[in-house]
Amino acid sequence: MRTGSKKSLLLSICMMTVVGIVAGCSGSSGNKENAQGTAPIETTTSENAYKDKYDPPISITTVWGVDPELRFKNNETIEKNVATQWAKDTLGIELKSLWSVTDTNNAFATKMRLAMSSGQEMPDVVTIGDEQLAQDLIDSGLFREVGSLFDQYASDTWKKAVELDNHVWDPYLRDGKKMGIPVLDYAYNHDYLLWIRQDWLDKLGLEAPKTLAELEIVMDAFKNKNPDGLAPSEVIPLSIGFKNKMNTWMADPSWIFGAYGTIPQQWNVGADGKLEYGSTQAGSKQALEKLKEWFTKGYIPKEAALWDENKAADPAVAGKAGILPGPYWMSGWPLVDTVKNVKDAVWKPIAIPTGADGKAGRHGTKYTNGVVLINKKMKNPEAVFTYQNYMFNNLADPQVGSEFDNGVFKGYDYDIDASGKVLHLDDIPGGYVNSIRYLLVRDGARIPDAQMKALLNLANGGEAKTKLELEAKNNYGTETPAAAKVILEQDSISMKNMFTGPTTKTMKSKMDYLNKIESQAFNEIIYGEKPVDSFDKFVETWKASGGDAITQEVNEWYDTVK
Amino acid sequence: MYHKTLSYRIFNVFNICLMLIIALLCIIPLVHVLAVSFSSKAAADGNLVGLWPIDFTLESYKKTMNNPIFLHSIWVSIKRTVIGTGLTLVLAFLAAYPLSKENSAFKGRNIYSWLFVFTMIFSGGLVPFYMVIQKIGLMDSFWVLVLPGAVNVYLTILLLNFFRGVPKELEEAALIDGAGHFRVMFSIYLPVSLPAIATLALFSMVTQWNSWFDGLLYLNNAKDYPLATFLQTVIIQRDMSSMSISPKEMELISTKTVKSAQIFIGALPILVVYPFLQKYFASGLVVGSVKE
Amino acid sequence: MAFQNYKPWLGLTGSEWVGLDNFRYLFEREDSLQVIWNTLIIAVFKLMFNLGVPFVFSILLNELRKMVFKRFVQTLVYLPHFLSWVILGGILIDILSTDGGIVNRALGVVGIEPIFFLGNGDWFRFTVVVSDIWKEFGFGTVVFLAALANINPTLYEAAEVDGASRFKQTLHITIPSIIPIAIVVGTLALGNVLNAGFDQIFNLYNSLVYEKGDIIDTFVYRTAILNGEMGFGTAVGLFKSVISMILILISYRLAYKWANYRIF
């Protein structure tokens, strides 16, 4: 008897769960009505709405995907911290957080989608990094057109920064309307050069290699006549890895493809002005042949197919690798630690070597790292511009003596001692935290070419004066300015992925399979399991299994933004 | 006595060696993690550390111990483990007892047990689950870590099978003496099943301690995360291609040494619990028989 | 949801009904059969050994007479369960390296050519199964040890009096006593038969072994999770649940029919 009553309790819990699900369904349908019903509300933006400071303060709601590495101090959180206080005091804007999530394992995108599903309140303003999520949110119809707002309210500094590359709008265009404001980032952050052990070169009496042929001589010498006395089997002349992709952010072989005129796994402009997929071009076949040769000779790691970016950097830090391809900032990390393991190690940046016919190529970096979306229901959309204009005018490239000259928040991302001297970041009481990341839009405001200009000035012997220059000089690796110069001198070989639009229909259903057969074919060729000519078979399959359709869709999109 | 026979002695020596080898194989990775946590950053980043620290330092432990979020997350984890395990044990115990009876003694038993199993296998998926959490107001509350998983069908089924192993005579004797089901449950089944309950407790604790996804999704602020969620955000490698980076930040990224220290400290409490629970594995029926 | 082209902003009632499209996508891809086959092979081997190894191990462990030593071994073998695959993946790549990894060096001593454990499809499956057993068997042992502790000691005393050897005692008392628990654990594990271990494979697989190492979960991760295709993800979940339910039903029936034992 007693057991029976307990069972019925459990049963009723089951029932409650069912009821809950039903309630959930009705909730989401309400959401849908909202989405459709609020479309016409765009009336509150009158001519004089824009203010430099709101009094009384207004509030803006947002949500946060917090970088796992972001630190806080003084018991602050992303919801309430020195930056939110600052915005309230200076701009009269109160930032209210609906929720936040540490953005790992796609948590932000998942939570955003779930919040939409269950009809939770959508934020007024949100910064999105995940491309697919941004496209979904734009398609949801919950967020408004922003082009007119931008034209009306954005400051000149901001407008000029965006005009450096008008393609930054491309991903967010719908029928010619701008649906999101691109978040600008520093240019060239992922452009490649080669880091080479200069001390090895010197001891061997070799020059920095300028062509692939010279590179081979250098690699051979590194391996077989190693100046540090390492046995050939211990040395990895060229540390690369392609567990995930052949085109990524560090230690990938894409520049070898570049020497044959193409960059794999991205859309390049072909000879006929149309977009073509790099991996299926003839140049890729030659590059694979070269990689196979290098693999056989032991120039690249035996397990390159298993290595991701960080893993490929390991032997470089350990002092066992001669060359590590990657971005200009690597002198600060990870290479700075090599010298602690091998006393005499010196890493120098050199240009990407050219192929037999003088061709060279590296993958480029887009000028954006996300998008800002504005809710249709937001009452004061111009407040976003109050906030961001301030950032662009004061933070993007602060001049000597200006408000943010030393940093943004004293005691957080900079500090000054009693004598007025700016402290090294490691000496800030309580530790450095990157409080710039607390700002509404990630990194506050960045002008794409500002950082490179600052670095170039330093590389040419200029004195560090502005904030960006001082920052680079004091806190970046010693070789960073020189590396920036190398990057800029090879500006013409940079190839950006030219397709930045929403995922096309065929891509959705076929791209994963195409990627799979591609990496399989590439790796099998490099590892000698299949002959190089199997590349042609791969291209054939690729085209037939949806590749041709995707190419066509991509070009249809390209025609609309060209 | 079988212990004295030659063949058994040979077997015994062989067995001891085998156990030692296997145990050694199992401890190697943890030793490696420990060694890394005590090594210098440069050696760890160069992947030079094997089973012994290079340039011994306690730096990473200092950093970990100075991180208030890390310490708080341990506290959240302890809370959820204690409360969650307590709830799961009570519910599993109460549910397993009736379900362990014969069909004749408990009409409709089969239907109930299939209902349980059904919920174990089928779930509405992420979206409906999230909606339920949202609608019943568990979102962003500590209880979201404990309540949804409180009824653990897997453990309940295990327990009911252990209950079946309890000699029927014990129960019948008690029933004849006029004891009710609750008396039988607590004074006979409970002491006799201690090894089983210790097992359940262990499983449940480990599940609670290791769950990270619920914290990530249903809590709205990182400062409330339990340890497993915190660790997950630390050990997963970031995809640098999708974010802007400055060299300074790259330098500040948690190094392998700090990660290793956090992993080790994070696993420590649950590792310590096991040897403590082991003493219950030796008791069990002995207690029961003595009682009788 | 499994039958919808689910869009979060349209919700369950607003999203378009697409019938069986989501399921069709799971089965109609060029590599669908291969992926499902991979999943099954890896999962079935894991299932068998993750049941068998702890079973045997717990019996052997039970034979240890020194309590301290027994607990010591017990605790050590249980450790790997607590390290995540992200960490273990990194360690495995090092120790299984063809280029000076410790395993291949050991094989070299015996005169075996280096084996590319993680880069060869067949060896990859082998490595996945073995490393999973190594990680989980100690933890799996716990439940059997509990069952062993539940055996009535008077049974052994009686057997001793009858002069049965230890081997005979094990065969006729120990094993039959813990077989019911083994059946239960095995049956419940069937609920996981289409989960070949996402975390593990995701951290270990690479382009060289896509053909033999790609499983349903990694495939769903790439196509559904990363792209926010929630309808498809739910469809696959439903499919897996149905298969699990059927298998559990069958094994429940079998246990009842052959051993007259109700698992739950």
Side-chain angles (χ1 to χ4, degrees):
Chain A
M1 279 291 104
R2 286 174 198 148
T3 51
S5 64
K6 189 180 58 60
K7 287 293 98 172
S8 62
L9 176 74
L10 279 168
L11 254 186
S12 57
I13 291 176
C14 291
M15 286 306 294
M16 272 160 58
T17 318
V18 173
V19 173
I21 293 171
V22 174
C25 299
S26 58
S28 60
S29 69
N31 176 34
K32 177 192 147 213
E33 282 152 25
N34 283 345
Q36 292 171 344
T38 51
I41 305 180
E42 270 180 43
T43 47
T44 43
T45 46
S46 61
E47 276 299 307
N48 300 323
Y50 184 84
K51 292 190 181 72
D52 282 334
K53 180 173 180 178
Y54 288 87
D55 189 26
I58 57 154
S59 66
I60 300 181
T61 58
T62 188
V63 294
W64 305 94
V66 186
D67 186 322
E69 296 291 343
L70 189 57
R71 301 276 175 266
F72 295 92
K73 63 198 282 191
N74 307 336
N75 279 326
E76 292 180 346
T77 63
I78 193 71
E79 275 105 17
K80 199 167 158 31
N81 54 50
V82 62
T84 54
Q85 190 59 40
W86 170 86
K88 196 176 166 193
D89 296 344
T90 315
L91 305 173
I93 295 175
E94 201 169 344
L95 285 177
K96 286 212 173 117
S97 160
L98 297 176
W99 48 262
S100 66
V101 62
T102 302
D103 198 12
T104 184
N105 298 63
N106 279 331
F108 180 73
T110 309
K111 184 135 179 156
M112 197 77 198
R113 291 195 172 100
L114 289 170
M116 263 195 282
S117 293
S118 59
Q120 272 176 282
E121 184 188 348
M122 282 289 116
D124 287 336
V125 183
V126 60
T127 309
I128 309 279
D130 181 297
E131 274 306 315
Q132 186 60 43
L133 178 66
Q135 300 298 346
D136 278 0
L137 289 177
I138 290 173
D139 290 336
S140 76
L142 297 169
F143 296 90
R144 57 167 291 163
E145 183 271 337
V146 296
S148 58
L149 290 174
F150 188 83
D151 293 341
Q152 196 177 352
Y153 300 121
S155 72
D156 288 342
T157 323
W158 192 359
K159 279 183 182 155
K160 257 188 226 146
V162 169
E163 277 160 15
L164 285 174
D165 180 5
N166 270 319
H167 282 298
V168 294
W169 293 101
D170 291 355
Y172 315 113
L173 293 178
R174 289 292 186 279
D175 303 325
K177 279 196 205 149
K178 294 166 177 166
M179 301 301 294
I181 311 170
V183 178
L184 298 179
D185 195 2
Y186 292 140
Y188 305 110
N189 252 352
H190 302 298
D191 275 54
Y192 268 30
L193 47 73
L194 300 187
W195 291 92
I196 194 163
R197 281 287 293 275
Q198 187 64 41
D199 56 321
W200 284 5
L201 280 182
D202 290 345
K203 281 181 205 158
L204 290 165
L206 289 167
E207 288 289 312
K210 290 198 180 60
T211 63
L212 286 191
E214 288 173 25
L215 183 67
E216 283 174 353
I217 297 170
V218 169
M219 289 195 294
D220 201 71
F222 279 0
K223 190 170 185 74
N224 297 319
K225 288 181 278 181
N226 188 277
D228 279 356
L230 297 170
S233 64
E234 284 179 282
V235 191
I236 295 171
L238 172 64
S239 191
I240 54 174
F242 32 86
K243 177 181 184 209
N244 302 317
K245 288 176 89 180
M246 296 252 171
N247 178 350
T248 170
W249 54 272
M250 184 165 78
D252 72 42
S254 60
W255 51 278
I256 301 169
F257 292 73
Y260 299 97
T262 189
I263 296 290
Q265 287 167 346
Q266 69 173 32
W267 296 89
N268 308 310
V269 182
D272 55 355
K274 290 195 165 205
L275 294 189
E276 57 183 31
Y277 194 60
S279 307
T280 54
Q281 305 309 311
S284 289
K285 185 176 174 181
Q286 293 167 290
L288 287 172
E289 195 165 7
K290 187 50 78 183
L291 272 167
K292 180 190 171 164
E293 187 193 325
W294 289 0
F295 174 79
T296 322
K297 288 185 177 161
Y299 294 162
I300 63 174
K302 266 190 192 165
E303 312 218 318
L306 271 51
W307 285 13
D308 63 10
E309 299 85 351
N310 289 317
K311 186 84 191 152
D314 284 350
V317 176
K320 291 174 187 160
I323 300 164
L324 182 64
Y328 74 91
W329 42 258
M330 278 162 55
S331 153
W333 178 94
L335 298 180
V336 70
D337 279 336
T338 310
V339 75
K340 291 181 195 151
N341 291 319
V342 183
K343 205 162 77 290
D344 307 323
V346 181
W347 288 101
K348 288 275 182 199
I350 61 169
I352 296 291
T354 55
D357 52 1
K359 263 192 240 164
R362 67 180 190 221
H363 60 75
T365 313
K366 51 183 182 174
Y367 284 8
T368 57
N369 69 36
V371 62
V372 176
L373 302 178
I374 301 179
N375 197 316
K376 270 184 178 161
K377 286 190 264 181
M378 183 176 181
K379 283 204 202 73
N380 306 86
E382 74 289 345
V384 179
F385 295 88
T386 305
Y387 196 106
Q388 273 313 92
N389 283 342
Y390 196 94
M391 288 299 145
F392 270 97
N393 297 340
N394 296 293
L395 174 64
D397 191 7
Q399 293 309 304
V400 182
S402 68
E403 184 188 355
F404 294 146
D405 187 17
N406 296 314
V408 181
F409 300 113
K410 183 164 175 287
Y412 290 83
D413 54 286
Y414 80 100
D415 211 341
I416 299 173
D417 66 10
S419 62
K421 206 173 133 277
V422 178
L423 292 171
H424 189 262
L425 294 187
D426 296 334
D427 299 329
I428 296 173
Y432 162 88
V433 289
N434 187 6
S435 50
I436 296 172
R437 281 271 160 96
Y438 304 169
L439 296 168
L440 176 62
V441 175
R442 189 162 50 213
D443 299 314
R446 286 180 165 181
I447 297 173
D449 59 358
Q451 173 144 311
M452 275 292 158
K453 274 186 187 162
L455 287 168
L456 198 59
N457 180 33
L458 291 177
N460 290 333
E463 199 190 328
K465 283 191 232 103
T466 66
K467 174 184 180 252
L468 290 177
E469 287 163 359
L470 283 166
E471 202 173 77
K473 179 161 176 275
N474 296 335
N475 298 319
Y476 292 6
T478 47
E479 294 297 330
T480 307
K485 197 172 174 185
V486 173
I487 289 278
L488 284 179
E489 278 167 359
Q490 262 192 323
D491 190 23
S492 61
I493 68 162
S494 182
M495 291 160 87
K496 284 186 203 169
N497 183 6
M498 293 308 288
F499 175 73
T500 54
T503 316
T504 68
K505 196 168 152 281
T506 318
M507 267 187 191
K508 259 189 187 151
S509 57
K510 298 286 183 196
M511 205 61 200
D512 179 61
Y513 177 68
L514 294 179
N515 286 339
K516 199 168 144 181
I517 58 170
E518 177 191 325
S519 18
Q520 211 174 324
F522 279 26
N523 279 286
E524 281 172 353
I525 291 174
I526 296 173
Y527 275 76
E529 285 168 21
K530 294 245 174 81
V532 177
D533 283 334
S534 69
F535 179 83
D536 303 327
K537 180 91 198 321
F538 149 70
V539 175
E540 225 170 86
T541 322
W542 188 89
K543 286 187 170 162
S545 311
D548 273 340
I550 292 175
T551 309
Q552 199 187 341
E553 287 167 354
V554 163
N555 276 298
E556 276 164 19
W557 173 87
Y558 190 57
D559 287 338
T560 67
V561 298
K562 229 193 274 192
Chain B
M1 289 297 277
Y2 64 83
H3 308 305
K4 306 255 165 71
T5 62
L6 179 67
S7 61
Y8 187 77
R9 280 190 186 160
I10 294 171
F11 162 77
N12 204 24
V13 171
F14 168 76
N15 196 17
I16 289 175
C17 294
L18 183 73
M19 291 291 137
L20 266 182
I21 293 169
I22 292 179
L24 275 181
L25 280 179
C26 286
I27 200 172
I28 285 175
L30 199 74
V31 173
H32 171 74
V33 170
L34 256 182
V36 171
S37 74
F38 284 119
S39 297
S40 72
K41 177 172 169 281
D45 281 353
N47 200 18
L48 296 169
V49 183
L51 298 178
W52 198 252
I54 297 179
D55 304 333
F56 185 88
T57 161
L58 288 171
E59 195 54 34
S60 55
Y61 284 88
K62 269 188 217 143
K63 271 197 186 145
T64 305
M65 282 317 185
N66 282 333
N67 184 346
I69 297 183
F70 179 78
L71 296 179
H72 183 72
S73 72
I74 293 189
W75 170 235
V76 176
S77 274
I78 292 177
K79 251 196 332 187
R80 81 173 286 183
T81 303
V82 171
I83 298 176
T85 304
L87 263 177
T88 303
L89 283 184
V90 170
L91 292 174
F93 188 72
L94 290 177
Y97 177 73
L99 289 178
S100 70
K101 300 289 169 225
E102 292 300 319
N103 281 359
S104 50
F106 176 21
K107 285 221 172 63
R109 193 203 74 92
N110 273 9
I111 300 173
Y112 284 116
S113 47
W114 276 108
L115 267 179
F116 271 90
V117 173
F118 185 82
T119 62
M120 179 173 79
I121 295 173
F122 288 90
S123 72
L126 200 52
V127 175
F129 191 74
Y130 186 91
M131 288 177 187
V132 172
I133 298 286
Q134 163 85 12
K135 298 291 169 196
I136 60 180
L138 274 183
M139 193 63 80
D140 203 22
S141 132
F142 166 76
W143 293 99
V144 78
L145 303 178
V146 175
L147 290 182
V151 176
N152 187 322
V153 180
Y154 183 86
L155 296 184
T156 308
I157 292 176
L158 270 187
L159 189 62
L160 85 84
N161 278 286
F162 275 110
F163 279 173
R164 286 191 182 148
V166 175
K168 292 278 170 296
E169 307 85 56
L170 292 175
E171 183 185 349
E172 278 158 14
L175 285 174
I176 288 169
D177 287 349
H181 276 298
F182 270 102
R183 274 260 325 264
V184 172
M185 216 157 78
F186 287 111
S187 54
I188 295 177
Y189 278 77
L190 186 63
V192 169
S193 315
L194 274 183
I197 291 178
T199 313
L200 254 59
L202 185 70
F203 280 5
S204 175
M205 278 191 253
V206 169
T207 315
Q208 287 286 349
W209 193 263
N210 285 346
S211 302
W212 57 270
F213 193 64
D214 47 1
L216 198 58
L217 225 47
Y218 306 122
L219 295 177
N220 284 347
N221 196 312
K223 70 180 195 318
D224 303 323
Y225 285 169
L227 183 70
T229 311
F230 175 85
L231 281 181
Q232 187 71 18
T233 65
V234 175
I235 57 175
I236 290 284
Q237 280 175 0
R238 297 196 305 171
D239 179 8
M240 308 290 176
S241 55
S242 61
M243 51 181 53
S244 53
I245 339 152
S246 71
K248 186 63 205 168
E249 267 177 84
M250 297 301 297
E251 226 181 290
L252 289 170
I253 279 182
S254 306
T255 50
K256 281 183 191 166
T257 58
V258 177
K259 282 182 194 178
S260 304
Q262 286 171 335
I263 288 163
F264 181 70
I265 300 178
L268 204 55
I270 201 80
L271 295 183
V272 172
V273 160
Y274 187 46
F276 173 76
L277 277 176
Q278 276 169 0
K279 74 172 186 217
Y280 293 101
F281 285 75
S283 53
L285 225 125
V286 189
V287 184
S289 345
V290 169
K291 275 216 155 167
E292 209 200 1
Chain C
M1 260 179 81
F3 306 96
Q4 286 183 329
N5 178 13
Y6 185 78
K7 301 277 182 218
W9 57 92
L10 297 176
L12 284 174
T13 44
S15 292
E16 181 196 356
W17 291 93
V18 292
L20 291 174
D21 271 11
N22 286 327
F23 295 93
R24 210 168 288 147
Y25 181 60
L26 174 62
F27 291 107
E28 281 183 355
R29 248 177 68 145
E30 288 85 340
D31 55 348
S32 290
L33 281 180
Q34 182 71 46
V35 167
I36 293 171
W37 177 238
N38 292 343
T39 312
L40 274 177
I41 275 235
I42 294 175
V44 166
F45 273 100
K46 277 188 180 177
L47 205 144
M48 286 182 344
F49 288 107
N50 273 332
L51 193 62
V53 174
F55 187 87
V56 174
F57 186 80
S58 57
I59 291 174
L60 289 179
L61 191 65
N62 201 42
E63 291 304 315
L64 292 180
R65 306 188 40 78
K66 276 222 172 60
M67 210 53 200
V68 181
F69 184 55
K70 189 168 156 184
R71 287 192 186 169
F72 175 73
V73 173
Q74 215 174 323
T75 309
L76 291 194
V77 297
Y78 147 104
L79 293 178
H81 176 77
F82 293 92
L83 291 174
S84 72
W85 279 112
V86 185
I87 310 294
L88 289 178
I91 298 177
L92 276 181
I93 288 177
D94 283 339
I95 62 175
L96 296 179
S97 162
T98 47
D99 202 9
I102 183 145
V103 174
N104 273 316
R105 258 189 287 172
L107 290 177
V109 173
V110 207
I112 300 174
E113 286 288 300
I115 297 171
F116 201 1
F117 285 101
L118 293 168
N120 172 302
D122 295 316
W123 279 110
F124 179 77
R125 286 179 184 166
F126 172 84
T127 311
V128 162
V129 172
V130 170
S131 61
D132 188 61
I133 292 163
W134 166 74
K135 183 175 188 291
E136 300 299 339
F137 83 93
F139 196 67
T141 306
V142 173
V143 65
F144 291 116
L145 288 174
L148 285 169
N150 248 4
I151 297 175
N152 196 335
T154 51
L155 292 175
Y156 290 114
E157 285 156 23
E160 194 85 346
V161 172
D162 292 348
S165 72
R166 188 59 182 169
F167 182 69
K168 279 237 165 81
Q169 289 179 20
T170 307
L171 209 60
H172 295 295
I173 302 174
T174 316
I175 293 181
S177 303
I178 61 173
I179 269 197
I181 287 294
I183 294 177
V184 173
V185 172
T187 304
L188 294 179
L190 286 175
N192 276 325
V193 74
L194 289 181
N195 300 333
F198 172 77
D199 276 344
Q200 182 191 17
I201 303 229
F202 185 68
N203 279 298
L204 291 177
Y205 81 160
N206 56 73
S207 320
L208 284 174
V209 296
Y210 267 165
E211 195 182 339
K212 298 200 168 165
D214 198 14
I215 57 168
I216 296 180
D217 284 349
T218 47
F219 161 77
V220 169
Y221 174 81
R222 293 194 311 267
T223 49
I225 313 274
L226 286 183
N227 297 326
E229 297 282 333
M230 294 176 143
F232 178 60
T234 313
V236 175
L238 185 63
F239 168 72
K240 292 204 299 196
S241 296
V242 169
I243 299 288
S244 303
M245 197 70 188
I246 293 173
L247 287 173
I248 288 187
L249 208 71
I250 292 173
S251 92
Y252 181 89
R253 289 277 147 160
L254 284 180
Y256 187 55
K257 203 172 164 194
W258 296 101
N260 199 22
Y261 190 81
R262 285 189 192 276
I263 294 165
F264 37 80

